[in-house]
Each structure stands twice: as C-alpha cells, then as structure tokens.
Amino acid sequence: DGGGGGGGGLGLVDRTLMEEYAWLLVSQFEESHKDAAKLLHGLAENLAIDACEPLVETLLSMLLLLPAPRHRQTYYACLLLDISRLLTPAPRMLVRAVNTLYASLDRLDAELAIRLADWLSFHISHFGFNLEPFEASWAPRLSAGGAAGAADAADAADDAAGGGGPLTPAGG
C-alpha cells in the first residue's frame, strides 16, 4: 500500500499527536527533505496508522502559514513530492486538498493564493504539467468565470481522482 490511507481512522488525540510530530520532524530536518520524508513515512509504517491525510494537511498548512512559512517554500514543495513518492494515497489527498483550496480561492488571502500557485506549478512540473486531476473541478469555474458550482465540482473531482496516478511522480 505504501503507507496509510486517510486520516479518518485516527482519533482526535492521535491525529493531534501525529500533526505535532510531523511539525517537529519537518522543523528539525530542514537540511534534508529526503530524510524528513523518510522519517514521516517511517512514522506511518511503524505505528501502523493511517497517516497520509494528516501528513499532507500538515505539510500544506506549514507551507501556507501566515505571514510566511518558517522554512523555504522549496523545502515544503520537495517534501510534498517525496511524500507523494513514499505514500501511495498522497497524490489523491493532494488533489482533494488543492480542489478544496481552489473552491475557496475567492476567500483565500492573496499571499496564500500566490504561494499555492507557486507550489502547484512546481509540483505539476514534475509530471509534464498534467492538470487532468483538476479538470473536473476547475472547468466550471474557469468557463463561467465565477465560483458557482466550484464546491460541487471539487467533490466530483475527488471521485475522479481515484488512485491519483497523474500526481504520482515518475519513477515513484
């Protein structure tokens, strides 16, 4: 399987501890995104918990921290790529998170929208700029020029994302 599935199986205390541990690991291993990702993956494997969802959410929240992330944005971007390689469900979780953020784009702080766009462009550049996982949720908003139906379309895209194949890095 490559790691845990969704964070839905974790209780509140377990999820909070998982998020705190992820924050600590990410902060301590800034010099090596690969080591941090391996340790985060090991946490999920050793504890036999569904850690993918809270890990993805924690990494994105660290990237989108206001007024600025604690570490370089490329560090978080590389970590998210590494997690996509190590945890099989990570691409699906990333699609879900990006679609949720995209549906809220008109309410998102301008700095966060720019940071999200920077990260997403970096991330998809590793897959030949394939936007297929997002087409279902983004098409109505882009064609209509408004937010009508964006949340419903984001839910439909979660179903279409399935295995998250296009967001899985090549060779991963």
Side-chain angles (χ1 to χ4, degrees), residues 30-81:
E30 181 187 9
E31 306 84 38
S32 175
H33 62 88
K34 290 185 183 281
D35 288 341
K38 286 178 187 174
L39 288 168
L40 290 170
H41 176 256
L43 175 67
E45 292 292 314
N46 292 333
L47 297 179
I49 58 173
D50 292 338
C52 192
E53 185 176 329
L55 285 178
V56 166
E57 288 178 6
T58 300
L59 291 173
L60 284 173
S61 68
M62 293 177 86
L63 172 67
L64 299 175
L65 186 67
L66 283 174
R70 294 182 186 203
H71 307 292
R72 296 179 324 271
Q73 290 180 40
T74 53
Y75 173 59
Y76 299 110
C78 290
L79 258 175
L80 285 162
L81 280 173

Side-chain angles (χ1 to χ4, degrees), residues 56-122:
V56 166
E57 288 178 6
T58 300
L59 291 173
L60 284 173
S61 68
M62 293 177 86
L63 172 67
L64 299 175
L65 186 67
L66 283 174
R70 294 182 186 203
H71 307 292
R72 296 179 324 271
Q73 290 180 40
T74 53
Y75 173 59
Y76 299 110
C78 290
L79 258 175
L80 285 162
L81 280 173
D82 293 336
I83 291 296
S84 293
R85 290 181 180 109
L86 294 171
L87 295 172
T88 305
R92 186 176 60 250
M93 298 299 163
L94 283 170
V95 168
R96 184 179 302 152
V98 169
N99 284 334
T100 300
L101 289 166
Y102 186 79
S104 305
L105 200 55
D106 54 347
R107 295 184 312 273
L108 202 58
D109 183 85
E111 168 64 24
L112 296 182
I114 291 168
R115 216 179 297 162
L116 180 65
D118 287 345
W119 164 74
L120 187 59
S121 63
F122 175 86

